[in-house]
Amino acid sequence: MIGIFDSGVGGMTVARAIEQALPDYRLVYFGDLARTPYGSKSPDTISRYSCQNVDFLLSRGARLIVVACNSAASAAAARLESSYDLPLFEVIGPAVKQAVSLSPRGRIGVIGTRATIRSGVYERMIRERRADFQVFSQPCPLLVPLVEEGWLDKRETRMILRRYLAPLKQRQVDTLVLGCTHYPLLKELIQHRIGPRVKVIDSSRALAAELGDFLAANPDVAATLSPSSEGENLYYVSDVTEAAALTARRIFGRPIQLRPAIDVGDI
Ligand code: DGL
């Protein structure tokens, strides 16, 4: 199976893109609702949780891992790569590639959790590709709890977005990277606030396309993954909540059975 994890429901935006692009493969998802948000935690804690999440997904049959969380990718990708001998995909690389290729004037804004912005990973990766580009980053720590709570179109959410996006508007960014997989759920509000001419980048489809290319080029790996005919996709969470069920339904456009995961690390 293709194993996907995030700190909560945000990674389901990535799971949905993979489900749509690669319908022949079976997915197993884990959302760490009991310990969300990750973005305000230290890199060590995020790394430890990420390893536990991968162990859980492996125990459920995953043979390839997608880190559908920027905070986890920025804090733990190196540790995951050195600890596990299996194909690992993450959301930051595809977002960077897309932003660099689409930005008309090289003024890229990045919004993300504190952990992601503090890591400086976006600036580093963008400037590795284009040293002449300018990157303006803005941590948005209140957005993940708002999304987890299902406050997707509230006046308060719009007010907070106005405040977070004001410095990026002032810098006249031409491209804005959604550096957190929860933010696509606020994409319309974000696009409206930042302005219609700014390209808003959500990496989920680019990641799904990259994964598809990899599987086509590596049939030996593809053969280790179960086909979707073997059963439905599995969506586990470390705490089953009503808000998560509602958000999951909104993301997929259908009810999603959230299964309790009780044997994850030290939860
Ligand atoms: N979806 C996660 C990300 O992409 C949110 C992290 C969090 O829990 O703060 O960063």
Side-chain angles (χ1 to χ4, degrees):
M1 282 197 262
I2 296 176
I4 305 169
F5 79 86
D6 178 40
S7 62
V9 293
M12 287 184 187
T13 58
V14 177
R16 178 158 186 271
I18 295 176
E19 200 181 86
Q20 287 181 328
L22 303 168
D24 295 340
Y25 294 97
R26 194 168 178 216
L27 314 183
V28 54
Y29 182 89
F30 174 64
D32 199 359
L33 285 170
R35 303 189 286 196
T36 197
Y38 280 10
S40 47
K41 298 190 169 68
S42 69
D44 276 356
T45 298
I46 300 173
S47 286
R48 182 161 54 86
Y49 289 175
S50 299
C51 290
Q52 292 169 351
N53 299 345
V54 171
D55 290 339
F56 172 77
L57 289 170
L58 294 179
S59 77
R60 291 298 184 278
R63 294 293 170 264
L64 177 154
I65 298 292
V66 175
V67 183
C69 174
N70 291 258
S71 309
S74 63
R79 177 155 165 201
L80 292 175
E81 257 159 37
S82 63
S83 312
Y84 298 91
D85 183 22
L86 82 184
L88 201 70
F89 287 78
E90 52 80 32
V91 277
I92 297 175
V96 166
K97 274 188 220 157
Q98 239 186 321
V100 166
S101 69
L102 292 180
S103 171
R105 291 178 290 110
R107 297 182 72 80
I108 300 180
V110 180
I111 53 174
T113 65
R114 276 213 178 92
T116 300
I117 299 302
R118 195 181 43 214
S119 76
V121 62
Y122 274 99
E123 277 97 330
R124 201 168 53 247
M125 287 176 70
I126 290 170
R127 292 175 61 86
E128 264 167 27
R129 291 178 166 257
R130 288 296 301 259
D132 55 324
F133 276 21
Q134 282 186 285
V135 184
F136 306 97
S137 301
Q138 173 70 41
C140 304
L142 295 174
L143 297 187
V144 168
L146 287 169
V147 170
E148 289 288 341
E149 203 46 47
W151 281 32
L152 303 181
D153 195 18
K154 296 258 191 215
R155 196 166 62 89
E156 292 82 350
T157 307
R158 282 200 287 269
M159 278 165 54
I160 290 168
L161 272 176
R162 184 180 318 145
R163 179 110 180 224
Y164 282 150
L165 296 178
L168 299 176
K169 256 184 105 119
Q170 229 168 26
R171 302 288 195 154
Q172 300 188 320
V173 299
D174 56 45
T175 306
L176 178 66
V177 177
L178 303 183
C180 172
T181 53
H182 283 67
Y183 301 173
L185 286 151
L186 300 170
K187 192 171 176 181
E188 273 174 39
L189 295 190
I190 292 171
Q191 182 78 69
H192 180 74
R193 172 63 17 213
I194 197 74
R197 285 201 297 274
V198 176
K199 294 185 194 338
V200 175
I201 310 283
D202 153 14
S203 68
S204 59
R205 280 204 217 119
L207 170 91
E210 214 168 84
L211 182 55
D213 291 346
F214 171 83
L215 292 174
N218 294 276
D220 49 323
V221 178
T224 66
L225 306 174
S226 351
S228 47
S229 56
E230 275 182 12
E232 59 182 337
N233 293 340
L234 302 173
Y235 290 90
Y236 287 98
V237 286
S238 50
D239 190 24
V240 180
T241 67
E242 215 173 290
L246 282 172
T247 310
R249 189 186 183 123
R250 198 156 175 160
I251 293 171
F252 287 93
R254 63 173 197 269
I256 294 289
Q257 186 194 346
L258 296 181
R259 299 162 190 263
I262 41 165
D263 48 347
V264 182
D266 41 25
I267 293 172

